Amino acid sequence: MATKTAEIGTIDGTLDLGAHGITVTRIKRNPSVDEIYADALSGREPGAVKAANGALVAFSGAKTGRSPNDKHVVRDPQTERDVWWGPVNFPLERESFLWNRARVRAFLNAQDLLYVIDGFAGWDPEYRLNVRIICNRPYHALFMHNMLIRPTPTELAAFGEPDFVVYNAGQAAADPSVDGVTSGTSVDLSFADNEACILGTEYAGEMKKGVFTIMNYLMPKRDVLSMHCSATTDPETGASSLLFGLSGTGKTTLSADPNRLLIGDDEHCWTDSGIFNIEGGCYAKTIDLSEEKEPDIYHALRYGAVLENVVLRDDGSVDWSDASITQNTRGSYPIEFIENAKIPCVAGHPTDVIFLTADAFGVLPPVSRLTPEQAMYHFISGYTAKVAGTEVGVTDPVATFSPCFGGPFLVWHPAKYARLLADRMREHGVNVWLVNTGWSGGPFGVGSRIDLPATRRMVDAIHEGALRDAPTEPDPVFGIHVVTEVPGVPSEILKPRATWPDPAAYDEKAAHLARLFNENFKEYEDDCPPEVCAAGPVI
């Protein structure tokens, strides 16, 4: 494929997309940010405006979040054996994929102008994928310009044929009469064709998570652990750590550590030589964003960033608290917009892995150490608890389990990722910790949230190595090794049962949560070693 670097950012008459079934000749390949803004604000992006902070504000239409029930993996002889079929990976027969792909290509071929974003997934050159995005919306082009790793002009000239192609025809509805398609939305991955097709949703996050899902399939085939987590590193020693956690656990807040460099906020891989970020940017939630609480994200949302589904005031400033379009307001920006980002986004082997949970039942200790078997168990469980209250009369917390802290994006069975994690732990002497950022002294409504400064001190102590030889006590129900002394943290909050005014009530709630753990893990027992199954709570 011939490419003229001088034409990048203008109509590229040399780029032939015929191999992808695309006949459009007016193509902008990797246009500049200035040009994308110009196109978006000249009418190619309905409703788009430039916010007072310089970010491009765009809207995703009816879908303001992912559509996990409409994600399909094409079933073929290889994926039939590999894929964890079920509520995460819905199978799609190849004939149906070809119908959907034809629909995608027909839509794109009807456009007068297309955008092609060629970039990399993975900062380690040995493992990175060359990814091509083909879309018609400037907003989608800028979003993936931010989220993929941006090639230099020399790298772009030598890009060659992509390893994976993502066609985004989100403005065209899927056809529910096609076998396996159950709605007007269909997000399809074919690993035999190295292609992904998007129909019926204009939410940009589908592209980002589509690429992550691709990596979640391909990397474990190469004995590389792909992970839904954030990563930081010590600027002095180079030691890195990983933070896993579902929404509301404090992963983003705790990753924004002024004493450490950010490798990435969401998607990483762990190889024989260390870790690397999959992405070239960040995709942060912005609801209730404030400069005081999240200064790094706040200042990163400037010219070149995309603000998705936010509401502006009359003066062009963002009303961060306005959720009238969606609670899931988002901002996408290149990682170099974060002042303390480590570029390139790679580091050596982690010294510590931290699982964050916001236990609203108030029974898990603030910090505990896990054995490799317990690490596999809690990794597969992926537990947190969300605070109830959205329905009248509901006051109890709601337990949430997401395998490997990223269930919707897994392709293999969770046990495969957990085995890779345990292997890395043993090989490199990694410490694994469970940190509860939730409630103490009772459940939600009775106790109180563990102070963020105390949690930060615990995480700092982990990073400083101060807890490696700290005294611990086994939890009688959960079996984890409860750390009983943390420098700078009152020891009385470290043993949860002692913080409850009614110890018997604690025992009852701990037994309740233990049963929830055990019930959830039944789904994975057949594929896990006996020692992992035995690492769970004992009632």
Side-chain angles (χ1 to χ4, degrees):
M1 178 181 66
T3 307
K4 294 182 180 178
T5 346
E7 293 178 348
I8 295 168
T10 60
I11 300 298
D12 188 345
T14 67
L15 184 59
D16 182 3
L17 299 180
H20 309 314
I22 303 296
T23 58
V24 176
T25 57
R26 297 187 69 241
I27 298 164
K28 292 189 176 182
R29 183 188 187 216
N30 289 47
S32 68
V33 170
D34 288 349
E35 187 160 5
I36 296 176
Y37 265 70
D39 284 358
L41 300 176
S42 67
R44 286 194 174 273
E45 195 58 70
V49 294
K50 183 178 175 182
N53 62 10
L56 180 68
V57 177
F59 302 93
S60 66
K63 295 290 183 79
T64 58
R66 291 181 300 101
S67 302
N69 294 333
D70 297 304
K71 189 190 82 173
H72 308 105
V73 175
V74 176
R75 180 157 46 193
D76 56 46
Q78 183 66 47
T79 58
E80 181 68 58
R81 298 190 301 270
D82 295 343
V83 172
W84 181 42
W85 301 108
V88 170
N89 297 294
F90 297 99
L92 189 71
E93 299 307 318
R94 177 163 175 76
E95 183 179 359
S96 296
F97 173 76
L98 295 178
W99 275 104
N100 286 349
R101 188 179 69 179
R103 195 173 184 88
V104 164
R105 289 175 171 177
F107 172 83
L108 293 174
N109 279 325
Q111 307 306 308
D112 71 318
L113 172 69
L114 293 178
Y115 299 92
V116 169
I117 302 297
D118 285 339
F120 305 124
W123 279 86
D124 187 332
E126 184 178 347
Y127 296 98
R128 74 184 185 190
L129 289 185
N130 290 14
V131 177
R132 169 164 291 169
I133 308 294
I134 304 175
C135 60
N136 70 299
R137 290 190 65 175
Y139 141 55
H140 289 159
L142 182 56
F143 178 89
M144 290 309 289
H145 163 85
N146 289 344
M147 300 312 301
L148 291 176
I149 299 163
R150 291 156 292 285
T152 65
T154 300
E155 290 172 330
L156 191 57
F159 191 82
E161 293 302 320
D163 298 312
F164 221 97
V165 178
V166 178
Y167 305 88
N168 190 335
Q171 289 169 297
D175 182 357
S177 70
V178 174
D179 186 36
V181 177
T182 57
S183 77
T185 298
S186 193
V187 180
D188 310 331
L189 300 176
S190 172
F191 291 105
D193 297 283
N194 296 321
E195 292 178 326
C197 295
I198 298 174
L199 285 165
T201 172
E202 299 171 68
Y203 180 65
E206 294 288 6
M207 295 182 288
K208 164 191 159 66
K209 289 305 185 185
V211 172
F212 184 41
T213 304
I214 292 163
M215 294 290 279
N216 270 336
Y217 178 64
L218 296 179
M219 290 297 102
K221 290 173 79 74
R222 301 180 63 180
D223 200 36
V224 171
L225 173 60
S226 50
M227 306 170 291
H228 189 220
C229 66
S230 64
T232 63
T233 185
D234 187 304
E236 300 295 330
T237 66
S240 66
S241 75
L242 306 175
L243 281 84
F244 292 83
L246 302 179
S247 178
T249 59
K251 177 168 68 79
T252 301
T253 300
L254 292 169
S255 296
D257 187 334
N259 299 316
R260 296 176 69 83
L261 300 179
L262 180 70
I263 299 169
D265 75 329
D266 199 44
E267 302 172 5
H268 295 83
C269 287
W270 193 348
T271 73
D272 288 337
S273 57
I275 62 172
F276 66 82
N277 189 354
I278 291 174
E279 300 184 292
C282 303
Y283 190 36
K285 291 182 179 180
T286 61
I287 194 69
D288 294 326
L289 180 70
S290 71
E291 185 176 14
E292 179 184 3
K293 292 181 180 178
E294 301 285 358
D296 291 337
I297 296 173
Y298 186 89
H299 292 292
L301 295 170
R302 57 181 193 261
Y303 184 81
V306 175
L307 279 172
E308 193 174 44
N309 299 317
V310 301
V311 176
L312 300 184
R313 301 185 182 92
D314 291 341
D315 63 358
S317 64
V318 181
D319 186 346
W320 302 109
S321 64
D322 193 323
S324 58
I325 298 176
T326 177
Q327 279 279 343
N328 190 36
T329 54
R330 293 272 183 167
S332 160
Y333 48 88
I335 193 164
E336 56 264 30
F337 281 17
I338 297 292
E339 186 175 346
N340 68 330
K342 182 184 182 299
I343 309 293
C345 302
V346 297
H349 297 292
T351 56
D352 299 279
V353 171
I354 302 170
F355 298 155
L356 300 172
T357 180
D359 176 32
F361 294 99
V363 297
L364 288 179
V367 58
S368 12
R369 189 169 183 168
L370 306 181
T371 66
E373 294 74 24
Q374 290 170 341
M376 289 181 70
Y377 182 93
H378 284 273
F379 187 53
I380 290 173
S381 298
Y383 164 73
T384 194
K386 295 183 178 179
V387 175
T390 54
E391 297 179 24
V392 176
V394 178
T395 57
D396 286 338
V398 178
T400 300
F401 296 93
S402 183
C404 306
F405 298 92
F409 322 115
L410 304 183
V411 183
W412 302 85
H413 189 279
K416 186 175 185 73
Y417 303 93
R419 282 191 289 270
L420 285 168
L421 176 67
D423 289 346
R424 297 285 188 273
M425 279 182 61
R426 295 187 180 99
E427 183 178 356
H428 303 290
V430 179
N431 302 292
V432 179
W433 312 87
L434 182 66
V435 172
N436 177 21
T437 63
W439 273 255
S440 178
F444 171 76
V446 177
S448 57
R449 190 88 188 246
I450 297 171
D451 287 341
L452 178 60
T455 300
R456 282 195 183 278
R457 187 65 203 118
M458 295 175 210
V459 173
D460 287 345
I462 289 172
H463 287 153
E464 293 161 2
L467 300 190
R468 290 178 194 172
D469 298 316
T472 63
E473 294 180 2
D475 185 284
V477 175
F478 297 95
I480 53 185
H481 301 273
V482 180
V483 176
T484 57
E485 292 181 16
V486 178
V489 176
S491 58
E492 57 267 21
I493 75 167
L494 297 176
K495 299 178 183 180
R497 190 174 189 269
T499 67
W500 282 51
D502 182 354
Y506 169 88
D507 294 339
E508 180 181 349
K509 194 65 73 174
H512 171 68
L513 180 57
R515 284 191 290 270
L516 294 177
F517 263 96
N518 292 337
E519 185 64 28
N520 172 73
F521 206 81
K522 288 179 181 178
E523 182 178 352
Y524 312 108
E525 287 177 343
D526 292 343
D527 295 279
C528 289
E531 61 270 21
V532 174
C533 297
V538 176
I539 304 174

